[in-house]
Amino acid sequence: MSSKVTDAPAVEESAKRRQIMEGARQLFLTHGFDAASMGEIARVAGVSKGTLYVYFENKESLFEAIVEDERAGQAQQVFALDASDHNVEAVLTRLGDAYVRFLCQPSAMSALRTVIGIAERMPEIGRKFYEFGPQYGIQRLSQYLEAQVKAGVVAIDDCEVAAAQFLDSCQSTMFKPVLFAAAPAPSDERIAHVIGIAVRTFMAAYGKR
């Protein structure tokens, strides 16, 4: 008879770390980075201040961990592209829809505003946010497009630029109004309309004729 042995201390440590990050995330999103103290984070997370410092050296390292966890996890789902799928138009349509919904969700918008507010004096946080978000997306789409070039489906000289252009076009008229709190999240109809234009423009420029 065999039994699976669980590393209980490691599981408990992971759960405690997650508990702290969730409490900190609530404060950062509600009050902003500067207004959230380590003491208040400990209170909201339900841990002692001493325990908090066991897991995170300071508020900056805690915020970095939250950014990495949230952006990397969601970006991986949005940009899970199959290089063997040569229906570029359909792939880009699905990607564009998921990408805009990801960008315009309240939690992502709040995190972005927080990072923008502190990036000048904490450039390392800004760099990591960019790497786990925009840069990751461009790289993943660029890799997919490179595979389609090799398959003879599209003709693109610079896949990195083409990927960045497509993602930027997907945001048009939808992302910035939400970022500046000038408009609510776009409707399904608006997303479909804008993404449709972005895909058609991309295929007109790079699709094989």
Side-chain angles (χ1 to χ4, degrees):
M1 184 176 72
S2 64
S3 60
K4 185 176 180 181
V5 178
T6 302
D7 189 348
V11 172
E12 291 175 3
E13 180 172 327
S14 178
K16 184 65 69 175
R17 189 173 189 273
R18 174 64 56 185
Q19 178 182 337
I20 292 170
M21 289 173 64
E22 287 302 321
R25 180 183 284 108
Q26 292 178 32
L27 277 178
F28 287 142
L29 295 183
T30 303
H31 302 294
F33 179 84
D34 290 327
S37 68
M38 289 292 271
E40 186 67 7
I41 290 171
R43 185 189 67 78
V44 172
V47 299
S48 68
K49 202 169 180 180
T51 298
L52 178 58
Y53 280 107
V54 167
Y55 289 90
F56 297 99
E57 179 181 359
N58 50 42
K59 188 168 62 170
E60 289 77 10
S61 64
L62 175 51
F63 186 73
E64 285 180 16
I66 292 172
V67 167
E68 179 177 352
D69 177 70
E70 187 166 296
R71 300 294 291 188
Q74 294 190 46
Q76 286 172 6
Q77 294 178 8
V78 171
F79 290 94
L81 305 174
D82 181 3
S84 65
D85 188 342
H86 302 309
N87 189 342
V88 177
E89 187 172 350
V91 169
L92 292 182
T93 299
R94 290 194 297 268
L95 171 61
D97 181 88
Y99 178 61
V100 170
R101 294 181 189 279
F102 165 63
L103 279 183
C104 293
Q105 62 183 325
S107 61
M109 201 61 67
S110 296
L112 177 57
R113 293 185 186 115
T114 299
V115 171
I116 290 173
I118 64 176
E120 185 173 358
R121 68 178 189 276
M122 300 177 191
E124 183 65 14
I125 291 179
R127 182 185 65 80
K128 288 188 175 182
F129 189 91
Y130 179 77
E131 288 178 351
F132 292 127
Q135 187 177 63
Y136 176 82
I138 292 171
Q139 289 175 342
R140 292 289 294 136
L141 180 53
S142 178
Q143 290 167 3
Y144 170 79
L145 294 176
E146 287 170 0
Q148 306 320 304
V149 170
K150 291 179 181 178
V153 180
V154 292
I156 303 174
D157 293 329
D158 191 324
C159 288
E160 181 182 15
V161 171
Q165 288 176 335
F166 175 73
L167 294 176
D168 283 345
S169 67
C170 288
Q171 303 176 29
S172 298
T173 73
M174 297 188 287
F175 170 66
K176 287 183 180 178
V178 179
L179 174 64
F180 292 104
S187 65
D188 293 347
E189 293 76 16
R190 184 62 182 174
I191 293 174
H193 175 69
V194 174
I195 298 305
I197 293 174
V199 172
R200 289 193 298 273
T201 302
F202 185 94
M203 296 306 297
Y206 300 117
K208 281 292 189 70
R209 294 173 178 80

